[in-house]
Structure formats: structure tokens, C-alpha cells
Amino acid sequence: MPRKSPLVIGHRGAPGYRPEHSRSSYELALAMGVDAVEPDVVATKDGVLVVRHENEISGTTDVALHPEFADRKTTKRVDGQALTGWFTEDFTWAELSTLRGRERLPEVRVSSASFDDSQAILRLRDVLDIVRDGSTEHGREIGVVLEVKHATYFASIGLDLAPLIERELRDAGWAEGELPLVIECFESTVLGQLRERGVAASYIYLIEATGRPYDRLVAEGKQALTYRATVTPQGLDGLVGRVDGISVNKKMLLDRGNTIVADAHARGLAVFTWTCRPENAFLSPEFRGSGGRSAFGDYESEWGVIARQGVDGVFVDHPDLGVAFFRS
């Protein structure tokens, strides 16, 4: 990755302004000066990697308006949770390519929702090419932070994501270390699989504020280490040599007296955090202002608490604000 600190990463592009994972969202993030963008990766029935927040797509596409797909609506358990809707693994890429993207949070991001139904969804390959071309256009090295979604679930239905991702990265010229690549996941198993396959990247373990990683829960049950326990000094000791860093829910860095960044750095681990957003809906209560959920609160004060801890990377939905704040 470019040697800047912290890295400013466009979370699914620039979703504060355009529907997440759309072409215009990624292109806007690059134009606004991000160091990298972050696509979430899920799979189709025929093994094509597409970028969506989740494999359930009713909230991010116009699939419900397609009568030809009405019978695909179903209920499944994904990572132990029951979900009803339409799922990428029940479609071929040819079918998904007929859908159009939508704003996932229309009640908060009304302006972004005005772009609904105007753009096709993208494959991972499309995003890799957008970033490569954008690096040339903007005259600076721009990276990709690839988030693997629901790897254990996909493996359970016969869609092993590790070989699909390796093949795509090699075909696109992103697997040999020539271009800046980070691979992240809430499940460490797939990170180890990709590292064993020789994909040259930095490997980052995503950490939630609560719960346990699903891969370890399946393997170990309630004996599995919680996310919270993973970022204790003892838990971090267990990550050394397995991953290059962690990416924690920002709530954990807003806890008074936490030492997560210092403890990780002492062990040679990088620390990213997600997601820095300016709207009241996403700010910690003490930083919220007037004007409702979609209005901007005192985000600079919240982000300042995070920045002063010395994080190595931040995910932002409004890249222009992130670049202005974290580069000032």
C-alpha cells in the first residue's frame, strides 16, 4: 500500500454520494483522493465473483421488480441468521448482469438514492480494472482492500471462495505483489487459505465489537474465541505470524481506556478501523447533532479520538471528508 498514515480507504467506493459498489461510487472515490477502495466479494451460481454488501441482494438491487426472478425469493440461514430475499448464489452472472444497483440506506442517503436503477452491478474483475485504470489516470498508486464475505457459508454450498479469488486475482494481474492489495475477512480460515495459495497481499483480520467468528464457531462451538478476546494482549499474541493486522469496529476504539492500537503495534500488527461516517445515524451519541439521522454531526471530534490512537487505516463513506481530515 502507499506509505501514508493512516490509509484512507473508500468503503465500497464513495457510498456517501453514490450507491455502494457502483461504478460511479468507485470512480468518485478515486477522484477524491483515496489510497484504496474496498469491494465486498460474494459468488454467483456459476462461480463469478461479484461485489455486493451481502449475498442477499433485495436491498441493494432492483431484483424485486423482475417478475422473471420472483420464484427465486427464499429464506436461508447465512452465518446462523435467517434471511429472506434473493441470493447471489441462486443466479448466474448473466442473470445478475440484468439487475441494477440501489442505495442500501435510502432514508439516510436520499441524494445517493437518486442514482438508483441507473447502473449495472459489478464483478470483482471490473473493480480491479477500474482501480488499475484509475491509478494511471490520477497519477498515483491506488490499492484494493478485498473483503471476503461469508466464506464458511459459501463453502458449505459448494462454492469455495479461496480458489475463485486466487484465479481472479491472477488473471487480473493482482496476485503477484505488483499492485497494492489487502485481503480481509471476519473469518481467519479463508485468509490462511489464500496465503497458502501464494497470493501476495497484506492479510487483515476483521473484528466485530461482539460475537464470535463464524468459521471458528462452526469448528469449536462456544469454545471459540470471541472477537473481544481476540484483541486482548493474549489474543493478539495468537495472531502474530498468521495475519498482518486487524481491522476493528470503531466502537472498540471509542471505548475509553482501550489499548488496542498500542497492543497490536507492539506485536507488529497494523490496525485499521471501520467505518468513519459523518451522519448522526452512525456517530457515537456524544458526537451527534441536530437535524435528524441524515444530518452531519460533530464527526471531526469522533474521528479525532480515533486518529490520535495512531491507526494505520480508516474506512470512510465520504472520501473527500476522510482525505481532508486524516491528511490535515
Side-chain angles (χ1 to χ4, degrees):
M1 277 292 168
R3 293 176 179 268
K4 299 176 182 177
S5 187
L7 295 173
V8 178
I9 303 160
H11 183 235
R12 308 169 194 156
Y17 303 109
R18 301 289 188 275
E20 64 187 26
H21 293 314
S22 64
R23 178 174 292 274
S24 66
S25 182
Y26 286 111
E27 290 178 344
L28 184 58
L30 303 186
M32 286 179 166
V34 296
D35 300 306
V37 293
E38 184 230 28
D40 299 321
V41 175
V42 294
T44 67
K45 178 193 298 186
D46 50 345
V48 176
L49 297 170
V50 296
V51 290
R52 290 286 94 190
H53 175 245
E54 297 290 345
N55 57 323
E56 199 289 294
I57 55 173
S58 62
T60 61
T61 73
D62 64 351
V63 64
L65 300 182
H66 287 251
E68 68 273 26
F69 299 139
D71 62 351
R72 308 280 179 95
K73 188 175 185 180
T74 187
T75 299
K76 300 187 179 190
R77 293 193 71 83
V78 180
D79 293 1
Q81 295 187 338
L83 297 172
T84 299
W86 289 264
F87 297 81
T88 59
E89 64 269 22
D90 295 332
F91 294 81
T92 64
W93 166 243
E95 291 171 329
L96 284 184
S97 68
T98 67
L99 305 182
R100 296 296 178 265
R102 290 189 162 186
E103 169 57 46
R104 188 171 57 89
L105 304 167
E107 71 287 352
V108 176
R109 294 176 172 166
V110 177
S111 177
S112 176
S114 70
F115 295 89
D116 282 359
D117 303 338
S118 64
Q119 299 175 77
I121 68 174
L122 301 176
R123 302 165 298 173
L124 173 61
R125 179 59 181 265
D126 298 321
V127 177
L128 296 174
D129 291 346
I130 287 169
V131 175
R132 184 198 297 272
D133 293 344
S135 296
T136 301
E137 177 186 352
H138 297 290
R140 69 180 196 278
E141 189 174 56
I142 306 172
V144 168
V145 180
L146 188 164
E147 181 178 346
V148 184
K149 283 293 185 85
H150 308 302
T152 299
Y153 166 78
F154 275 110
S156 75
I157 59 171
L159 285 167
D160 193 352
L161 294 184
L164 296 178
I165 292 170
E166 180 198 2
R167 182 182 67 191
E168 192 73 274
L169 292 172
R170 293 200 187 284
D171 288 349
W174 280 81
E176 306 299 329
E178 295 179 5
L179 297 167
L181 176 66
V182 171
I183 300 177
E184 62 178 6
C185 188
F186 286 101
E187 302 175 84
S188 60
T189 302
V190 71
L191 296 181
Q193 291 169 347
L194 286 164
R195 174 168 263 174
E196 289 172 1
R197 287 175 170 271
V199 176
S202 294
Y203 288 88
I204 300 292
Y205 192 15
L206 283 162
I207 304 291
E208 253 293 7
T210 60
R212 292 176 169 84
Y214 188 65
D215 57 336
R216 303 317 309 161
L217 185 63
V218 169
E220 303 170 29
K222 292 299 178 66
Q223 299 303 310
L225 202 64
T226 65
Y227 283 123
R228 282 275 179 182
T230 302
V231 296
T232 63
Q234 183 177 2
L236 292 170
D237 286 342
L239 297 182
V240 175
R242 297 175 53 214
V243 296
D244 300 296
I246 57 175
S247 183
V248 300
N249 187 322
K250 70 171 184 178
K251 296 176 183 177
M252 304 176 85
L253 300 185
L254 295 173
D255 288 342
R256 291 184 183 276
N258 87 85
T259 59
I260 293 172
V261 177
D263 291 341
H265 283 174
R267 291 159 176 80
L269 298 170
V271 181
F272 294 178
T273 191
W274 51 275
T275 302
C276 290
R277 296 163 164 145
E279 297 105 333
N280 286 322
F282 308 112
L283 293 173
S284 188
E286 63 267 35
F287 301 113
R288 294 172 191 162
S290 60
R293 288 168 51 81
S294 61
F296 289 6
D298 186 12
Y299 68 90
E300 291 181 321
S301 291
E302 183 186 90
W303 295 4
V305 173
I306 292 168
R308 286 191 292 274
Q309 294 178 55
V311 293
D312 303 287
V314 292
F315 292 86
V316 297
D317 282 5
H318 298 72
D320 56 338
L321 301 184
V323 170
F325 181 84
F326 290 105
R327 290 283 178 267
S328 61

